[in-house]
Every structure is written in structure tokens, then in C-alpha cells.
Amino acid sequence: MIRNVLGSVLALTGAAAAVLSPFRDWYDGRLGRHYRVDELFTGITAGRPGPLGSILVAFLFAALLAVVGVVLRSRLLVASAGVVVLGFTVLWMVRQGESVGSLTVAGDGSGLGWGVAGAAAGGVLLLLGAAVMSGRRGAGHRSVHERHDRPYAAPGSENPDTWPPTQEPGPSVQTSTLPEPEPELYTGPDPAERHRPVPGSGPGSGSAPDADGRPQG
């Protein structure tokens, strides 16, 4: 999260620097937006292009890529924006050097201006932002803490004694939902035996059974 925020800040700062650079001097007091895009491929001329034909259009396109990349957290789009900015800046320097013979830097405003430095710095910041960003993570790229925080899955019925996951013995599984039968607490004689007639104790016999069912006499 912190890497995405820091990378987004670097990328947006680089995009802003790249867009503002054509409004500053690039060489001998000439603004960057006064160079045509096609001059970077055919050669520098003294003509001034319209708003849609200057190098500013390329940098606006790169800034748009950077903003979309930040919103989508796409490192590829942000890096592509940095490559576009640096690529057009280096290509301009090559064509400008071919036009004047050599590139110079002077304190009186002649030679390379701050606009070129702003464009180059913007491209570098875009690449740094893409490198710092962590990008989007899929479901299979969870962090270590997220994987450790997930609860353990309960064991199936085929392994009832493997819970908890320390492999220590656990309670066996109960196969019935009914309560277990309680043991019989009565320990005396069977009540049915008390009412069972004793041979020889019926009517006509000479003796009557006692209280325990045994014949008397």
C-alpha cells in the first residue's frame, strides 16, 4: 500500500514536470512547444507549429498514460509514459545537435534551457514511480501476514483425531446424534421373577409361597 502511494506520487510529479516543460526554454530561448513533432524525425526547422502539432502533444499523451497507470495501479503504463517522455527528449537532443552542430549550456540563456531538464527529470520520475509501485495483486499473491491470519480448515470425518493442527490427539468423532444409553442402576432381582408362579405353589398345593416367592413348608 505504501509503495503504491509513493510510486503514484513520483509518477504524477514526473507527468506534471513533463507537461510543463514545453512551456519553458529548450534551446536559445525557444520554447519546447515551438518544435513540431515531425521535426524530431525529419530535422529541426525555424517554423512554429500549431497547438496540436507541437511536442506538447506527445507529453500530454505520456501524462495521460501515467494517470491511467496510477488509477489502475499498472506499472507497465507508468513505465511506458516515462519511456515516451525520455524517448522524445533524447530524440529532440539528437536532432537539435545535428541542426546546430553541438549542444551547449551557457549561463546567459543560450544553449540548453530548463525545459529540457524538466522533461528529462519528468521521464526519470515516471520510471522511478513505476519501479517503486507494487502494482495490483491477484488472489494468488497474498502477503505472508494474510496467509498466516487465515483460520485452519476443520478436518474431515475421515481424520477425526487430527485437530487441532498440532497433530495432538483430539476427541473422536461421534457417529450418532442420539445420547448414549445410561447403565441400568437397579441391581435387585428381576421384577418379572417375583410374579412368576413357582411349581407346586398353585391351588391345591399344601404350601403357600413366602414373600420372596418360595414355597413354605
Side-chain angles (χ1 to χ4, degrees):
M1 181 64 181
I2 298 178
R3 291 184 56 185
N4 279 328
V5 173
L6 181 58
S8 299
V9 171
L10 291 175
L12 294 177
T13 303
V19 172
L20 292 177
S21 64
F23 295 94
R24 307 189 68 177
D25 295 340
W26 277 48
Y27 199 82
D28 285 340
R30 186 176 179 180
L31 300 180
R33 59 188 178 90
H34 292 164
Y35 292 93
R36 296 179 60 89
V37 176
D38 57 356
E39 290 178 355
L40 303 183
F41 303 94
T42 60
I44 303 297
T45 63
R48 293 189 176 184
L52 298 180
S54 68
I55 197 175
L56 175 62
V57 176
F59 288 172
L60 287 175
F61 174 73
L64 180 61
L65 281 181
V67 172
V68 174
V70 168
V71 172
L72 299 179
R73 289 185 294 177
S74 174
R75 302 175 62 187
L76 179 60
L77 290 179
V78 176
S80 299
V83 171
V84 170
V85 173
L86 284 180
F88 275 90
T89 303
V90 173
L91 186 58
W92 174 89
M93 295 177 68
V94 172
R95 294 303 182 187
Q96 183 65 33
E98 293 176 351
S99 177
V100 298
S102 63
L103 297 178
T104 59
V105 179
D108 57 357
S110 61
L112 293 174
W114 286 106
V116 180
V124 172
L125 287 176
L126 285 169
L127 293 180
L128 285 178
V132 171
M133 290 176 63
S134 60
R136 303 183 65 176
R137 295 180 182 178
H141 294 81
R142 297 178 180 177
S143 63
V144 176
H145 298 285
E146 291 175 347
R147 289 196 296 268
H148 285 312
D149 291 340
R150 289 183 301 174
Y152 290 99
S157 59
E158 66 278 2
N159 297 316
D161 295 333
T162 57
W163 185 258
T166 54
Q167 303 301 325
E168 296 179 358
S172 60
V173 75
Q174 184 175 355
T175 58
S176 176
T177 58
L178 299 177
E180 296 182 0
E182 297 182 357
E184 182 64 39
L185 300 179
Y186 182 76
T187 58
D190 190 356
E193 296 291 338
R194 300 181 60 181
H195 300 286
R196 181 180 300 175
V198 179
S201 62
S205 61
S207 61
D210 58 6
D212 294 332
R214 296 189 296 272
Q216 298 179 354

